[in-house]
Amino acid sequence: MSTVQQEVDERTNLTGSNKFELLLFRLGGDGGGDRSELFGINVFKVREIVAMPAITAVAGSLPHMLGVVNLRGQIIPVIDLPSVVGCVPKTGLNIMLVTEYARTTQGFAVESVEEIVRLDWSQVLSAENSAVGGMVTSIARLDGDTENTRLAQVLDVEQILRQITPSDAKDVDPETIGDRLQMKEGSVILAADDSGVARSLIEKALGAIGAPFIMTKTGKEAWDKLQVLAAAAQAEGKGLRDKVAMVLTDLEMPEMDGFTLTRKIKQDDRYKSLPVIIHSSLSGQTNEEHIKTVGADAYVAKFVAEELAAAIRKVLAAK
């Protein structure tokens, strides 16, 4: 038991050093089953890995949905991940990854699981315009920054889930999101998220409450933009809050994650009074406790526009 707890603590502590662990798996190859590439998902999203159980097909299922499984009394939908990204497994769908993501639990069927690797986020580069239809957020250089390193594609699970299980509900309902935000003229919300679909939802929510914003795709891009805005404020004889009202950040991002971005802001005397809200699909008590240790002012689980708007109002009112 102590060994298990030690492993959990060790993985949690990685977030304090811009590091994370990536579960590597294979989905198969092209139409002929060739060129089987590596894909990855953050270990924090994976609840367990099991041999493929018996699946019950569900009448009228959406494309790429295999059906459901009964896993220790919980009914879990199972997604055919190779078919989503256009791969053909040579040996079949042998493994199910049970993931917890954005308030949902689901199984992803894959061909095989390879290993868990420990990486620095600086080894991960944005790959928004990848060849798999926007389903890859980034490319991980598994063996470091070398010419011959192995590469793994980090999947955009938010995009996949949104495609597989679309909702008829409005992303942002003007009737329920509440009053427009009152912000100092000239100030913006600086936001960071590596997922295209997440950025779209955030932009809709911020637009609905009348909040000017600057959207970035990584923690490093957000940090660099903060330096530019701070320098502009100083040159104009203004305070930072005249330019930036708050920072809204995801956790998992290439180059620099949200934990590191938040810690850098809160440990810098120039920026430490700047409110930071973490907006993430990574949930669980362990992550939420660590969010407190890096000094974030609030945490909001993705994605409910009304909850995000309420958190923004509360944090800005407190500051």
Side-chain angles (χ1 to χ4, degrees):
M1 182 67 181
S2 60
T3 302
V4 173
Q5 185 60 52
Q6 184 178 353
E7 290 179 358
V8 170
D9 291 342
E10 189 175 348
R11 286 200 170 110
T12 301
N13 290 336
L14 289 177
T15 57
S17 56
N18 204 42
K19 296 182 185 295
F20 73 112
E21 288 187 331
L22 193 67
L23 173 67
L24 301 178
F25 54 90
R26 296 189 189 272
L27 302 177
D30 55 21
D34 298 322
R35 292 186 57 80
S36 180
E37 306 291 358
L38 279 170
F39 292 86
I41 188 172
N42 193 321
V43 169
F44 268 126
K45 290 192 178 106
V46 182
R47 193 177 80 186
E48 56 186 309
I49 303 168
V50 298
M52 184 60 67
I55 297 176
T56 301
V58 176
S61 290
L62 295 167
H64 309 301
M65 294 294 298
L66 294 173
V68 297
V69 299
N70 180 19
L71 190 64
R72 288 184 292 282
Q74 183 179 11
I75 303 301
I76 299 173
V78 182
I79 296 167
D80 183 346
L81 196 52
S83 74
V84 172
V85 302
C87 291
V88 179
K90 274 187 174 181
T91 63
L93 300 172
N94 305 308
I95 303 293
M96 183 174 73
L97 309 179
V98 182
T99 65
E100 293 181 339
Y101 204 97
R103 309 172 190 237
T104 64
T105 300
Q106 53 280 312
F108 286 110
V110 304
E111 182 176 34
S112 64
V113 168
E114 298 288 304
E115 61 179 316
I116 293 174
V117 293
R118 184 166 296 180
L119 303 173
D120 191 285
W121 277 110
S122 63
Q123 293 175 242
V124 184
L125 302 179
S126 180
E128 192 170 59
N129 299 318
S130 67
V132 285
M135 294 181 187
V136 170
T137 61
S138 52
I139 302 293
R141 297 172 295 192
L142 302 179
D143 306 312
D145 189 8
T146 64
E147 290 186 7
N148 298 317
T149 183
R150 295 173 299 155
L151 300 177
Q153 301 172 60
V154 182
L155 291 173
D156 186 345
V157 182
E158 291 174 74
Q159 173 66 35
I160 291 171
L161 292 178
R162 187 171 178 81
Q163 176 180 317
I164 299 305
T165 56
S167 173
D168 293 331
K170 293 181 180 179
D171 293 331
V172 178
D173 188 343
E175 300 298 322
T176 60
I177 199 167
D179 297 334
R180 293 175 70 82
L181 198 64
Q182 299 300 315
M183 288 173 54
K184 185 178 294 186
E185 185 176 354
S187 68
V188 300
I189 292 176
L190 180 59
D193 202 297
D194 68 325
S195 168
V197 67
R199 289 197 301 274
S200 176
L201 293 170
I202 293 167
E203 288 171 1
K204 289 179 183 178
L206 295 179
I209 58 175
F213 62 88
I214 294 174
M215 182 63 70
T216 61
K217 299 176 183 178
T218 72
K220 183 178 184 303
E221 186 182 347
W223 175 252
D224 291 344
K225 188 64 178 179
L226 182 59
Q227 317 303 304
V228 172
L229 292 169
Q234 185 176 25
E236 296 171 19
K238 296 179 178 179
L240 176 62
R241 296 293 296 278
D242 293 319
K243 292 286 187 180
V244 186
M246 59 161 284
V247 173
L248 175 67
T249 181
D250 187 21
L251 286 179
E252 297 179 282
M253 292 181 290
E255 300 181 275
M256 182 190 294
D257 67 2
F259 285 121
T260 302
L261 173 62
T262 303
R263 189 175 61 254
K264 285 173 73 71
I265 290 171
K266 293 301 185 178
Q267 291 180 353
D268 192 312
D269 288 339
R270 297 170 298 171
Y271 312 131
K272 63 183 180 182
S273 64
L274 192 64
V276 178
I277 294 179
I278 288 177
H279 184 228
S280 175
S281 58
L282 283 180
S283 58
Q285 184 175 354
T286 299
N287 284 310
E288 292 184 28
E289 285 298 320
H290 191 67
I291 285 164
K292 295 177 183 177
T293 67
V294 296
D297 296 271
Y299 166 79
V300 183
K302 289 181 178 176
F303 177 81
V304 177
E306 290 79 6
E307 292 184 9
L308 177 58
I312 290 172
R313 290 191 190 94
K314 183 177 180 180
V315 165
L316 289 182
K319 294 289 183 172

